[in-house]
Amino acid sequence: SQGASTATFVTALTFNAIVFGAEILVFTLVRRRFKVIYEPRSFLTSEGKRQQPLSNSLLGWPLDIWRADHYDIRHHNGMDAFFFVHFLRMMARIFLPIWIISWIVLLPITGAGNTNGLTGLERFTFGNVRREQLPRYSAHVVLIWGFTIWILYNIKTEMATFIKLRQEHLVDPVHSASAQANTILVTGVPRMFLDENAIARLFAHLPGGVKKVWLNRDLKELPDVYDRRLKAANKLESAEIALLKTALKLNKKANKGTVAPDNHPAPTEGKKQSKMLESATAHPVDAYVPPGDRPTHRLPVLGFLPFGKKVDTIEWATKEIQDTTEILEKERALIAEQEGRAGEKYPPLNSGILPPVALAILMMLLPIVLRLFGHFEGIPRKTGIELSLMTRFFIFQVVHGFLVTTISGSITSAIEGFSKNPTQIPMVLAQRLPTASTFFLTYAILQALSGTAGGLLQIAPLVIYYVKLFILGSTPRSVYSIRYDLRDVFFGTLFPTITLLVVISFGYSLISPVINGLAWLAFALFYFVWKYLFLWQLDQPASGDTGGLFFPKAIQHMFVGLYIQQICLAALFFLLPGGKAMGGVTVALIIVTAFFHMVLNNSYKPLLYSLPLTLAHKSYGMPQTGEGDDTNEDESADFGGDASPTSPSGVKASKKREESVQEEKILVPSPVPNTSHVQHNQGPGPTKDYGASVPVEGKRNEGPTDFNHPASVEPQRIIWIPEDPLGIGKIEADHLNSQGVEA
C-alpha cells in the first residue's frame, strides 16, 4: 500500500521487457503466414482503400510502418482514427523535451549530495531534498512553468490544426455529399408539425432546402415480426447446410469414401423413420436424403423451452418466412396509407431506471452501464453516446485508477501514525505522496512494453478467428462474416485509457521525473503500433465517425492532468518550511493555465460543430462562387492555414480527395433535379453494380430509406446455400424461390 518497491519495479521492468521481446519475435515470425489477421486491409477492402502490403522481408516491417504517413488514416479509417493516432504523436513530441530536460536537471538535484536518505528510485523523487537544501526546489518552479508553457503551446497549435483539418473534412466532396452530412435530427416536434410537408416548410430556410423528411413512427409489433423473419432465415440456412452434409455423407458411404454424383444410393428408410413427422410432404431432394434424415427441431414451449412439437426445420422456416413477409407487407401498406393523418401516433421518448448492481459487476460491465446512462439521458445518436461515454469513463479512470490509488498509497497507510502524532501530517504528506509514484512507474512500464507489443501480436484475435471458423463457421454467411468483417474499436473507451496515462504522467512529471522517460517511450510505441493497426488491420465504420470530435475532448483531459500536477506541487511547496513563495508562484501558474483554458475554449468551441459561412460554397450541392477552376488554387487560405504544396494536408490530401471523388463518380449516378417541394435525397444512391446476390440486407432498396426502421423497408434477406457436387444446393434454392422465399 506504500507503493511498489524499487525491487518490484525492476522485476516488472525485466518481466515486461522479456514479454515485449517475445511478442515482437513471434509477430515477426508469424505475420507473413497470417495476413488475414495482420494485413487484412491490403487485400480485403475496396481497391480505393487498400494499403500497400508490408515488406515480405522478415525484418522489413518496422521500416515500412515507420515510413507510412499517418495522414493516410483519414482516407482509410476516418477522422476519429486519424486524430487518435495524431494525439499519440503529439504526446510523444510533448514528452521528448520534458524527458530529456527533467532527467538532466531534476535527477541530480533530488538524488545528489546529502538527502533525506531515500534509496532506490525514491531518491529521485520530490521528497528526497532536505530542509536546508530548499533552494534546490527552485528548479521545480522554473521547470513547471517551462513545461506548462511548452504543453500549452502544443495544445494551441494542435487545436488550430484540428479545426483546419475538420473543416476540410466537412466540405470534402465525398463527405459533404453523404446522408450523414446532409441530415439533421429534430426532436420534441409539436404535434401540429408531425407531417412531412409541414416540417419541410418549417425548415425551408436552411441552406440547400429540404430534400426529404423522415418521421419516427410507432411500428407496434412490426419490429418483432421483422426479427422473427431474420431468425427464421438464419435457421433455414443452417438447416440447408445440414441437409447438404447428410446427402454428401450418404453418397460417400455408398461410394467408399468418395463423392460420386452419378452413383447416389437409392433412398431407404432413414434412421429416424420410426419417429416420422406428421407431415408427409414430398421434397425435391427426397431422392438424395430420406425424409427421416432431414433436419428437425422442436418448437419452444413458453417461448424458450425446446420441448414442443417436432417439426421439419426447412419446412417450418420456409413457412415462417412466408408468414412474416406477408404480415410485414400488409403493415407497411397500412403505414403508408396512414402517413400524415391527424390521428397518427408517434412513439414517446425512452425512459428507464438502472437497478442497483454489485460493485464487481459494475466494474466489469462499466462501459455498457455508462452507455446505458447516455441512452437514458436521452442522447439520440450512437456517436453522441460514445462521446458521452468518453467523458464518463475518463472521470471514473482518473478518480478510481489514479487519485484513489495515490491517496491509498500515501495517506491511508499512515493513518495509524497520524492518530498518534497529528502534528506530523504535513511532513508525512510531503514525504509519502511522492513515494506513491513508484506504483505508476510500474504501470507506465506495463503500458510501454507489454501493452504495445501485445497490440502488434494480437494473439486474442488470432486465436478467436480460428476458433470461430471451427465452431461457428457452419454456414456460408457465418464464414463470410468471420473472414471478411474487419475488426474495429470504440473510442469512447479507448481514448480514456490513453488520457489516463497522460494525467498520471503530468501529475508525477516533476514529483517523480523518472516517469517522463517511460511516458515518452509509451506514447512513441503506441503511436507506432496504432498507426500500423489503423493502416493495415482495423476498419472503422463510416457511420460511427464523428469527424474527430474525440480529439478536443482529449485536449480537455490534458488540462485535468495539468491542474492535478500544479495543485499537487503547490500543496507540497506550502507544506515545506519556507516554501510559501514557491507555492504562490505555482498558484499563479494555475491561474495562468485556467485563463488560457478559458480563452482556448471560447476561441475554438464555436468552430467544433459549425462551419463558417465563408466555406459554404465548398459544400456539396451549394452554389459555387462562379470563379471557375481557379477556386481551388489557394484553398488553404479558406481554412485559415498556409499549407505548402508538400505538406500532408496540401497536395497529397487534395490528390486523395480527387481520387475519392473520381471513385464516387463511378459509383454514384448523377442527381436528377426534382421540382417538388420535398425531394428525394440527392446524395450518393444505390450503384448500378448491385446484383441479386448482394449479401448486405437493404442494399437493393431504391429511394431514400436510410433513416427508416428496417422493419418498415427492408426486403427478405437472401438465403445463402453453397454449391455442392450433388447439385442439391441448386435444387433447394430453386425450390425456395418457387415458394416465394428468395434464395
Side-chain angles (χ1 to χ4, degrees):
S1 62
Q2 295 180 358
S5 65
T6 301
T8 303
F9 173 79
V10 173
T11 301
L13 176 61
T14 304
F15 174 77
N16 284 286
I18 293 173
V19 172
F20 177 82
E23 290 182 327
I24 293 295
L25 177 62
V26 173
F27 171 78
T28 302
L29 295 176
V30 305
R31 68 167 183 87
R32 294 179 296 178
R33 179 178 177 84
F34 301 102
K35 286 186 177 291
V36 71
I37 298 296
Y38 298 114
E39 297 180 46
R41 293 197 61 86
S42 64
F43 64 95
L44 288 183
T45 55
S46 61
E47 291 284 350
K49 289 196 171 186
R50 288 184 184 176
Q51 181 71 7
Q52 288 294 325
L54 291 172
S55 171
N56 225 17
S57 168
L58 183 65
L59 301 177
W61 62 269
L63 191 59
D64 285 349
I65 298 175
W66 176 265
R67 288 174 175 171
D69 187 354
H70 80 291
Y71 276 81
D72 291 341
I73 296 174
R74 289 191 296 172
H75 177 65
H76 290 305
N77 268 308
M79 298 295 284
D80 288 340
F82 164 74
F83 276 111
F84 175 74
V85 175
H86 194 74
F87 182 79
L88 294 172
R89 185 173 181 264
M90 177 185 73
M91 294 313 305
R93 184 176 67 246
I94 286 175
F95 270 100
L96 181 60
I98 291 178
W99 160 43
I100 296 173
I101 295 173
S102 65
W103 280 25
I104 292 175
V105 176
L106 294 182
L107 295 189
I109 284 178
T110 56
N114 296 325
T115 60
N116 277 333
L118 299 179
T119 59
L121 286 174
E122 293 180 357
R123 66 181 296 189
F124 300 113
T125 60
F126 184 91
N128 198 36
V129 177
R130 296 171 66 89
R131 294 184 181 181
E132 58 270 20
Q133 297 171 333
L134 194 64
R136 291 192 180 192
Y137 284 123
S138 301
H140 293 77
V141 176
V142 173
L143 289 186
I144 193 173
W145 272 85
F147 291 167
T148 300
I149 292 172
W150 166 244
I151 293 169
L152 297 181
Y153 166 77
N154 278 274
I155 288 176
K156 170 66 171 62
T157 303
E158 293 300 337
M159 278 301 297
T161 301
F162 167 77
I163 294 298
K164 177 178 180 295
L165 294 179
R166 177 168 165 80
Q167 289 178 349
E168 289 179 352
H169 165 73
L170 292 177
V171 300
D172 181 273
V174 175
H175 172 76
S176 62
S178 67
Q180 184 180 14
N182 285 276
T183 310
I184 63 171
L185 175 65
V186 183
T187 58
V189 180
R191 185 164 295 276
M192 63 180 294
F193 289 108
L194 289 179
D195 173 77
E196 280 89 346
N197 289 322
I199 289 286
R201 288 192 297 269
L202 182 65
F203 291 96
H205 65 282
L206 293 178
V210 178
K211 308 299 181 185
K212 173 67 180 176
V213 175
W214 291 267
L215 292 180
N216 182 29
R217 305 179 186 279
D218 184 2
L219 299 179
K220 299 183 176 63
E221 75 281 354
L222 217 58
D224 294 334
V225 176
Y226 177 76
D227 291 339
R228 277 176 52 196
R229 186 171 70 175
L230 276 181
K231 291 178 181 177
N234 289 332
K235 206 165 191 66
L236 179 57
E237 288 184 342
S238 298
E240 293 288 2
I241 298 301
L243 184 72
L244 265 62
K245 287 182 177 179
T246 300
L248 289 171
K249 181 179 179 181
L250 294 174
N251 188 277
K252 285 183 178 181
K253 185 177 180 180
N255 292 283
K256 299 180 180 181
T258 60
V259 177
D262 299 330
N263 188 28
H264 195 78
T268 59
E269 276 197 0
K271 58 185 178 182
K272 297 185 250 180
Q273 194 72 23
S274 59
K275 300 180 181 179
M276 188 59 186
L277 308 173
E278 295 179 7
S279 172
T281 305
H283 307 96
V285 295
D286 283 348
Y288 295 91
V289 179
D293 286 335
R294 290 173 62 84
T296 62
H297 72 284
R298 290 189 178 275
L299 297 178
V301 178
L302 301 177
F304 63 95
L305 297 174
F307 301 127
K309 175 185 175 183
K310 181 182 283 189
V311 295
D312 183 295
T313 302
I314 294 178
E315 289 182 6
W316 175 87
T318 302
K319 183 70 164 55
E320 180 78 350
I321 292 175
Q322 292 171 336
D323 293 345
T324 52
T325 299
E326 183 179 355
I327 295 173
L328 289 171
E329 289 176 352
K330 287 182 179 179
E331 292 296 326
R332 289 171 182 176
L334 187 60
I335 290 174
E337 292 176 4
Q338 292 178 345
E339 283 186 4
R341 291 185 182 177
E344 187 178 4
K345 295 183 178 180
Y346 298 84
L349 292 176
N350 293 327
S351 61
I353 301 174
L354 182 68
V357 293
L359 180 59
I361 299 178
L362 179 62
M363 294 284 290
M364 182 176 62
L365 303 177
L366 182 64
I368 298 175
V369 172
L370 293 180
R371 285 190 179 96
L372 283 175
F373 285 167
H375 176 71
F376 294 153
E377 184 183 336
I379 300 175
R381 295 184 301 169
K382 291 182 178 179
T383 52
I385 291 177
E386 204 67 15
L387 289 167
S388 170
L389 171 65
M390 179 179 175
T391 300
R392 290 184 165 101
F393 195 57
F394 171 73
I395 293 172
F396 174 84
Q397 292 269 57
V398 170
V399 173
H400 181 270
F402 176 52
L403 297 180
V404 171
T405 303
T406 301
I407 293 172
S408 65
S410 57
I411 296 178
T412 58
S413 61
I415 288 179
E416 184 179 353
F418 293 166
S419 61
K420 293 179 180 178
N421 190 358
T423 60
Q424 292 295 314
I425 291 179
M427 184 57 64
V428 171
L429 279 176
Q431 290 180 345
R432 294 200 177 184
L433 187 61
T435 63
S437 64
T438 310
F439 169 82
F440 294 107
L441 295 180
T442 307
Y443 174 78
I445 279 293
L446 174 68
Q447 294 294 318
L449 297 179
S450 296
T452 54
L456 278 178
L457 183 57
Q458 296 288 317
I459 187 64
L462 176 62
V463 173
I464 291 173
Y465 174 81
Y466 287 100
V467 169
K468 278 185 174 181
L469 278 180
F470 181 75
I471 297 177
L472 303 177
S474 57
T475 66
R477 191 178 303 278
S478 61
V479 172
Y480 179 89
S481 176
I482 294 169
R483 286 187 179 275
Y484 300 111
D485 286 350
L486 302 187
R487 292 176 291 114
D488 58 2
V489 295
F490 297 99
F491 292 104
T493 51
L494 179 60
F495 246 120
T497 60
I498 297 298
T499 53
L500 172 64
L501 184 59
V502 174
V503 171
I504 292 172
S505 302
F506 280 176
Y508 283 101
S509 62
L510 290 161
I511 293 175
S512 181
V514 173
I515 202 172
N516 294 328
L518 304 179
W520 174 82
L521 179 64
F523 288 121
L525 290 177
F526 273 133
Y527 166 69
F528 183 84
V529 169
W530 282 103
K531 180 170 71 168
Y532 156 72
L533 291 176
F534 282 120
L535 286 177
W536 278 278
Q537 282 196 25
L538 302 176
D539 187 46
Q540 296 298 118
S543 59
D545 191 81
T546 67
L549 290 179
F550 291 97
F551 183 81
K553 279 185 171 287
I555 295 295
Q556 301 300 315
H557 296 180
M558 291 178 65
F559 279 100
V560 174
L562 284 175
Y563 292 137
I564 290 177
Q565 173 200 56
Q566 296 165 6
I567 291 172
C568 286
L569 200 63
L572 287 171
F573 282 142
F574 283 123
L575 290 173
L576 291 172
K580 292 183 179 179
M582 289 182 285
V585 174
T586 308
V587 170
L589 179 61
I590 297 175
I591 297 173
V592 170
T593 304
F595 177 75
F596 179 90
H597 191 187
M598 181 183 67
V599 172
L600 185 82
N601 288 340
N602 289 338
S603 300
Y604 290 112
K605 191 173 182 179
L607 296 174
L608 293 181
Y609 306 100
S610 306
L611 275 171
L613 288 176
T614 53
L615 297 177
H617 67 283
K618 293 183 176 294
S619 297
Y620 172 83
M622 296 298 294
Q624 300 300 306
T625 59
E627 297 175 6
D629 296 333
D630 297 333
T631 55
N632 291 326
E633 288 184 1
D634 192 20
E635 190 176 278
S636 62
D638 292 328
F639 302 97
D642 54 353
S644 64
T646 58
S647 68
S649 57
V651 169
K652 182 170 183 177
S654 63
K655 286 183 178 178
K656 285 281 185 184
R657 285 200 301 274
E658 290 174 7
E659 294 172 2
S660 299
V661 173
Q662 293 302 321
E663 181 180 350
E664 197 74 19
K665 286 179 179 178
I666 296 174
L667 295 176
V668 183
S670 301
V672 179
N674 193 330
T675 56
S676 63
H677 190 69
V678 183
Q679 303 175 16
H680 285 300
N681 191 324
Q682 295 183 358
T687 74
K688 62 182 181 180
D689 298 327
Y690 288 149
S693 62
V694 175
V696 183
E697 188 167 6
K699 290 297 186 184
R700 295 168 301 155
N701 288 340
E702 295 181 0
T705 57
D706 309 82
F707 297 97
N708 286 320
H709 191 286
S712 65
V713 293
E714 299 290 359
Q716 175 236 312
R717 190 174 69 188
I718 301 172
I719 305 301
W720 284 7
I721 306 175
E723 293 183 353
D724 64 292
L726 303 178
I728 296 177
K730 179 71 165 58
I731 295 173
E732 283 293 294
D734 292 341
H735 178 65
L736 289 174
N737 282 309
S738 68
Q739 298 291 311
V741 176
E742 200 165 355

